[in-house]
Amino acid sequence: MFVTHLPKIFFYPKPKIIITSALLSKSKTTPLSHFSSVTSAANTLLQQTPDLQIKNLEIEHVQEKPHFEISVEKLFFPPDTDVSSGSRPLSSRILKGSNIVLSKYAGDAQVEQAEFVKSSVETEECPSDGLPEFALVGRSNVGKSSLLNSLVRRKKLALTSKKPGKTQCINHFRINNSWHLVDLPGYGYAAAPHEVRTDWAKFTKDYFLNRPNLVSVFLLIDASIPAKRIDLEYASWLGENKIPMTIVFTKCDKRKKKKNGGKRPEENLQDFLELIKKFFQTAPPWIMTSSVTNQGRDEILLHMSQLRNYWLKH
């Protein structure tokens, strides 16, 4: 049986752990209980627990050291995540190129089968099988269809086009006969008629608010350029409406030349997160990706697996 709503704790986990970034490296001399900034609730969470067990997880998907400094309060802890003071440092549980800590629910992440199900223009027309689903949405030309094709390792499952705004419906794809990937219309395509842009915004937001088996929205943001106002507005709307969200930073393979005033993807990423943080109780999960190099593909699937498996159990 499928539950109709995720508990709020799923995407706003408590307690909020406020610790310095020193926790990211294993200390042989200072136990976690000696950090003065750990609250009593966090101390309960940080009790000795068995090491994290993750099925079908290869070591290359977790990083021993983050690409850049990430303080613990900016990490995403899924519910039921064991934060242990045992032999494994916390940094070894963070997915590469992300702020996401793996939980015991991660596993069974491989895509073995993918098929198109249907296109819908209203939430009521979407499949009624109750399978958990993940929705991909982003500004037109952000690389949404390319990411979807990369996730399923097929070049033409989702239509890719040099003309933005090609996706105009809610498109469902069934994965492994057990869950859905959902390709939503891109927003912000200026060449589309105003009434069409209004309709797209209306039915996608209706989908977010009224789709009971939506596990998480994956909001795609182009990391090769500075933050766009429309992206900030979309992220803030999701945050204010408490829609479960993971931010996927795309085009992270593109390197801007500093002499031309461009910023690296990591810098644009941090700028974007800083601008939206006031709309979220805790740091939202995020992942860096590239459809050219397939960076982040396996990490996204692992993250989806832990969200999905928790959703199914609860």
Side-chain angles (χ1 to χ4, degrees), residues 15-23 32 35-43 45-46 71-75 77 281-283:
K16 184 176 180 181
I17 306 174
I18 308 297
I19 314 176
T20 66
S21 59
L23 182 57
L32 291 180
F35 283 99
S36 60
S37 56
V38 180
T39 64
S40 58
N43 274 323
L45 183 62
L46 292 169
S71 57
V72 173
E73 67 269 18
K74 293 183 179 179
L75 291 175
F77 291 87
Q281 291 180 337
T282 58

Side-chain angles (χ1 to χ4, degrees), residues 5 83 163 248 273:
H5 294 286
V83 183
K163 182 179 180 181
V248 177
L273 294 173

Side-chain angles (χ1 to χ4, degrees), residues 38-90:
V38 180
T39 64
S40 58
N43 274 323
T44 301
L45 183 62
L46 292 169
Q47 296 299 315
Q48 291 280 358
T49 55
D51 277 350
L52 191 65
Q53 300 296 318
I54 302 171
K55 299 181 293 181
N56 301 332
L57 174 62
E58 297 180 1
I59 192 65
E60 63 263 23
H61 300 312
V62 294
Q63 56 190 23
E64 292 186 1
K65 294 181 180 180
H67 289 289
F68 45 86
E69 193 73 11
I70 305 176
S71 57
V72 173
E73 67 269 18
K74 293 183 179 179
L75 291 175
F76 173 75
F77 291 87
D80 295 348
T81 301
D82 292 333
V83 183
S84 173
S85 58
S87 59
R88 292 186 63 187
L90 182 59

Side-chain angles (χ1 to χ4, degrees), residues 14 127 133 254 268 271 293:
K14 301 294 183 182
E133 54 194 46
K254 295 188 175 182
N268 288 325
D271 289 346
T293 65

Side-chain angles (χ1 to χ4, degrees), residues 158-223:
L159 178 66
T160 57
S161 172
K162 292 184 178 180
K163 182 179 180 181
K166 201 67 177 178
T167 303
Q168 300 181 17
C169 300
I170 304 174
N171 297 311
H172 275 75
F173 300 88
R174 186 180 296 115
I175 310 299
N176 298 343
N177 286 319
S178 61
W179 56 283
H180 288 138
L181 272 175
V182 184
D183 189 10
L184 294 175
Y187 55 81
Y189 180 42
H194 174 73
E195 62 273 15
V196 172
R197 297 200 306 271
T198 301
D199 288 343
W200 290 352
K202 181 179 179 181
F203 77 65
T204 53
K205 289 183 177 180
D206 179 74
Y207 167 84
F208 295 147
L209 294 169
N210 298 303
R211 187 67 173 163
N213 50 322
L214 175 64
V215 178
S216 180
V217 174
F218 279 62
L219 175 64
L220 277 61
I221 302 296
D222 187 345

